[in-house]
Amino acid sequence: MRHSLTLMVIVFAAVVLRAQGCGGQGNATLQTQAAFLGGSIAPVLAAAPGAPFIWYADFAPGQVTLPGIGTSCLAMSPALWPLVDGLGGGAPPMPASGTFSVSLGIPTAASLLGLTIYTQFGALDSSAPNGVAISNPVSVQLTIPDYALPTANNMSGFGTSLHRAVPLQDGRYTLICGGGSGNLTAPTPSNLVEMYDHYTRTFSPVSIMAGGPRTLHTGTRLQDGRVLVTGGIGSTTGNVDTGEVYDPATDTWTPVLNVMQNVRAAHTATLLNDGRVLITGGNGVFSTGPNGGFGPIFSSAYDTVDFYDPVTNTFMPAPNMLEKRIGHSAVLLPGGQVLLAGGVAGSFQPPIVGFPPLPVYATAGEIYDPSVNAFSPTGLTPVSRIVGVMNVLPSGSVLYAGGANGPLLCTTAAADFWDVTTNTWSPLPTSLPTDVALAASATLADGSIVITGGGQGCVAMFNSTTDVTVFNPNTFQFFPKAPLPAPKGSHTISPLPDGSFLLVGGLDASGFAVSTGYIWNQ
């Protein structure tokens, strides 16, 4: 059986198909980290203790049926080579711990930047199908720190901004749904959906949203791995009050059985620890007034809140927030509560003939506590803002930075800090290097926060930037990093299993939505 597996891999390579969706079988897993030129990488293989195994690498992905064994996700190209051969090459079997790791040095040659290696291993295991466990496939792309490489392709169906990117449970796949093509002030909502596969580093179309086009909607991964999408701006009906659930196992969308209390866009949806989703605020209208002002948008802000219950697949009313909010931020705190801050709460008509209504901002933060099913105040935020970034720090406190504020919705560099021990806000002593709104942020492995792209300007006429900034929660300092390869605003950033991050879509330097993706490493 040992030699037959080796021969099957080399000789019985059947039809090579695309590797999108190709997976493993049985009890075998493979994990890697980002691979930097001049550094090293230590992949971790896990399989049955004592199992003989063979570990291959190739320069192309594939999907090859191995009769009597299973499916390989390698292309079986002439460049295929064994990294470890415990079947015919004399290498020892899987250690008694059930894990094997080896440090592999990476050359420094700049010509190797962007080279991608595809890898997978198989191990003899009587409990696996056909007696062979085959690991999940993994790709390793050679890169350098503080750098972004393009994905292997662009989204095929659409350029998009104000979309939603939701990492699925295994981390390999990220669902990209909806969003607006065109520009920021007049987006054309889309019902298109694509799946990013980090093994092939490609986007592929999947089933469109059954409920119609959406932008400024929400996307939330549920505890069972499905994805809830709610509200947003529809194509012809304005903002919508519907929701639907995507099942990645069947590539199908199922409508929520009822509707929310209100149509909603620019709202938030936060997964609670009990599996429900807290849906807050948003607004009812996305259209300008007779003088081109945003008064109708501002004045239709809501303080209403809905729950989504995945058990019954229904929405149900929740207690109202303390303030109306549109374009606000919400994060789940370590204790299971939800912190909300920012947003516009309404509009004000200045006593000037022909002057458009101005925004009235929500002035304080608030916390939803599911144990008492109520909102409570946190005090005034130092800076009122809309479309900023909010991230939980390792201490449990929260960073709230950037966004737009003032009567003309001008971008700001201000940063605020919510202290979990005192439930109070204070301005940080330092600000972002540049003012920015509609940026995308994520938490790095060391607890730092990376803030990418965004736009600068006023009255939603934002010029997208290439800025990348990292906030150090230990020193409370912001540090500028190397710029992105191209400007991005209203885009998304999502964590990937090797510690890198996926940046998708957004607005380019001309203010129009793009279909590009990048993989950024710290």
Side-chain angles (χ1 to χ4, degrees):
M1 182 64 179
R2 296 186 181 191
H3 295 287
S4 67
L5 176 57
T6 305
L7 292 174
M8 285 288 187
V9 169
I10 297 174
V11 177
F12 290 101
V15 178
V16 179
L17 306 172
R18 67 188 182 99
Q20 180 84 24
C22 183
Q25 66 182 35
N27 179 31
T29 60
L30 174 58
Q31 295 178 313
T32 62
Q33 313 85 34
F36 298 116
L37 294 179
S40 62
I41 187 172
V44 177
L45 290 68
F53 68 98
I54 188 166
W55 179 20
Y56 276 104
D58 205 338
F59 286 120
Q63 186 166 323
V64 180
T65 299
L66 307 175
I69 296 178
T71 300
S72 169
C73 302
L74 305 179
M76 302 300 171
S77 74
L80 180 78
W81 79 97
L83 296 169
V84 175
D85 185 356
L87 298 177
M94 187 64 62
S97 63
T99 60
F100 170 84
S101 183
V102 61
S103 180
L104 304 173
I106 301 172
T108 59
S111 60
L112 297 178
L113 181 65
L115 175 69
T116 304
I117 300 168
Y118 303 85
T119 180
Q120 192 174 28
F121 80 93
L124 300 184
D125 185 344
S126 60
S127 67
N130 302 314
V132 180
I134 301 176
S135 77
N136 56 295
V138 169
S139 63
V140 176
Q141 188 173 49
L142 306 189
T143 186
I144 56 177
D146 193 15
Y147 194 74
L149 286 165
T151 51
N153 68 348
N154 294 338
M155 290 182 289
S156 59
F158 59 109
T160 187
S161 69
L162 303 173
H163 54 284
R164 296 297 172 255
V166 184
L168 302 186
Q169 276 185 323
D170 63 359
R172 171 178 166 179
Y173 297 101
T174 302
L175 188 74
I176 317 296
C177 55
S181 61
N183 60 36
L184 180 63
T185 56
T188 301
S190 171
N191 63 354
L192 298 179
V193 184
E194 299 221 1
M195 190 76 77
Y196 172 77
D197 180 350
H198 195 49
Y199 173 58
T200 61
R201 299 174 186 250
T202 58
F203 298 95
S204 295
V206 294
S207 294
I208 63 173
M209 290 186 289
R214 300 176 191 267
T215 188
L216 277 175
H217 52 302
T218 64
T220 309
R221 191 182 75 206
L222 304 174
Q223 289 181 341
D224 62 6
R226 297 177 301 151
V227 176
L228 170 70
V229 169
T230 71
I233 304 169
S235 58
T236 59
T237 58
N239 296 2
V240 297
D241 55 7
T242 59
E244 53 191 305
V245 178
Y246 178 74
D247 188 342
T250 59
D251 187 29
T252 56
W253 292 89
T254 301
V256 178
L257 295 177
N258 61 348
V259 297
M260 296 179 287
Q261 297 178 75
N262 308 103
V263 297
R264 299 184 190 275
H267 52 299
T268 67
T270 307
L271 179 67
L272 302 176
N273 288 341
D274 63 9
R276 295 177 301 164
V277 178
L278 183 76
I279 302 163
T280 69
N283 76 327
V285 175
F286 192 81
S287 61
T288 56
N291 54 5
F294 296 145
I297 298 175
F298 301 150
S299 61
S300 65
Y302 296 125
D303 59 5
T304 59
V305 180
D306 284 295
F307 291 124
Y308 170 74
D309 186 342
V311 176
T312 61
N313 189 30
T314 57
F315 296 115
M316 59 188 66
N320 287 356
M321 293 184 293
L322 304 179
E323 292 189 82
K324 296 179 179 180
R325 301 180 190 272
I326 168 180
H328 54 298
S329 298
V331 291
L332 182 70
L333 300 174
Q337 304 91 350
V338 178
L339 174 69
L340 302 98
V344 166
S347 64
F348 164 71
Q349 180 63 60
I352 303 173
V353 176
F355 205 85
L358 301 178
V360 175
Y361 293 89
T363 58
E366 53 189 293
I367 292 178
Y368 173 74
D369 187 341
S371 67
V372 296
N373 192 30
F375 289 88
S376 60
T378 66
L380 299 179
T381 52
V383 175
S384 298
R385 70 186 84 215
I386 188 173
V387 294
V389 295
M390 181 182 282
N391 299 86
V392 180
L393 304 175
S395 64
S397 296
V398 173
L399 170 72
Y400 194 23
N405 64 7
L408 298 181
L409 294 170
C410 293
T411 49
T412 178
D416 293 337
F417 177 79
W418 178 76
D419 191 328
V420 65
T421 61
T422 62
N423 189 25
T424 58
W425 293 90
S426 60
L428 284 179
T430 58
S431 299
L432 290 164
T434 56
D435 54 282
V436 67
L438 291 169
S441 63
T443 303
L444 303 179
D446 64 359
S448 299
I449 306 299
V450 62
I451 302 170
T452 65
Q456 297 174 323
C458 295
V459 200
M461 303 298 290
F462 298 148
N463 297 313
S464 295
T465 76
T466 58
D467 294 347
V468 178
T469 302
V470 170
F471 174 75
N472 185 324
N474 298 316
T475 64
F476 281 32
Q477 298 291 315
F478 291 95
F479 297 94
K481 308 292 283 185
L484 298 173
K488 277 189 178 295
S490 306
H491 58 298
T492 54
I493 184 170
S494 306
L496 296 168
D498 59 6
S500 58
F501 292 84
L502 173 69
L503 281 70
V504 175
L507 301 173
D508 64 11
S510 300
F512 285 87
V514 296
S515 59
T516 54
Y518 290 95
I519 300 166
W520 181 84
N521 277 284
Q522 181 181 8

